Amino acid sequence: MVINRIGRTVKRVITKLTSFFVIFMASISPVFSQEEDVLTRPVEVRLNKRQPPGKVLEIIGVKPGMVIGEVGAGYGRYTVHIASRVGPSGRIYANDIDQWALRFVKKRCRKHGFKHVETILGDTTNPKLPTNALDMVIMVNVVHCMEKPVEMFGCRFATPVA
């Protein structure tokens, strides 16, 4: 009798979670499936005013032909600007731990004709970017999202302090 009650409770919880997930996905899918120009999405317009990609990339020295690793590319807000700036002679390795976000990045890049962007599914301690192949690594609004930032930086970005 107790086992049956627990089984029914578990079934109810799973049903509610499934319903929530379906509703949640339905509510966000229009945001990520629209065919509007990627640079005009309202959230990106707002963020790009606060962190103007053109100005940021100019200040940090991103130039045509460079090979850039972007850790935490997300949905590619900066990826498209980097790809535009380095041009077809350059290369972008867009990393994230979210495979769905990387699928969106691929779609964005295809839409804009960027064939020099490669997506890389990393994990919480290793971005899995190519070793000894990058001119620069960029992270925009990422550190606060990292589960293990010390491990990530220790992976390949930071020089050990004596």
Side-chain angles (χ1 to χ4, degrees):
M1 182 158 155
V2 172
I3 293 175
N4 286 339
R5 195 172 331 140
I6 292 171
R8 286 192 302 269
T9 302
V10 168
K11 186 176 180 180
R12 256 190 314 238
V13 169
I14 290 172
T15 302
K16 285 182 181 185
L17 285 174
T18 303
S19 298
F20 169 78
F21 182 73
V22 169
I23 291 168
F24 174 74
M25 291 308 290
S27 69
I28 67 165
S29 63
V31 172
F32 298 120
S33 63
Q34 294 174 354
E35 291 299 320
E36 65 186 323
D37 187 284
V38 295
L39 303 178
T40 61
R41 292 179 57 230
V43 67
E44 291 193 14
V45 170
R46 188 182 83 250
L47 289 171
N48 288 344
K49 283 182 183 175
R50 269 197 346 222
Q51 302 167 325
K55 192 172 190 174
V56 170
L57 297 176
E58 180 182 338
I59 290 170
I60 64 175
V62 174
K63 298 185 179 354
M66 290 181 82
V67 179
I68 308 288
E70 183 184 12
V71 175
Y75 291 94
R77 179 171 75 93
Y78 256 66
T79 306
V80 293
H81 292 282
I82 298 167
S84 178
R85 186 166 285 259
V86 301
S89 63
R91 187 139 188 87
I92 310 300
Y93 293 96
N95 150 275
D96 208 286
I97 61 171
D98 181 347
Q99 67 181 357
W100 298 104
L102 292 176
R103 286 181 185 174
F104 191 79
V105 170
K106 285 180 185 179
K107 182 179 176 183
R108 274 182 109 152
C109 291
R110 261 195 317 271
K111 180 178 179 186
H112 288 277
F114 297 135
K115 295 178 181 175
H116 55 294
V117 177
E118 181 179 331
T119 59
I120 298 176
L121 183 63
D123 61 43
T124 59
T125 60
N126 187 344
K128 300 182 181 176
L129 295 172
T131 305
N132 300 323
L134 306 173
D135 295 311
M136 183 182 298
V137 174
I138 295 175
M139 298 188 325
V140 180
N141 287 341
V142 174
V143 175
H144 69 281
C145 298
M146 290 182 172
E147 181 180 326
K148 299 177 181 180
V150 174
E151 290 86 344
M152 180 66 78
F153 291 132
C155 174
R156 129 174 16 166
F157 306 130
T159 303
V161 178

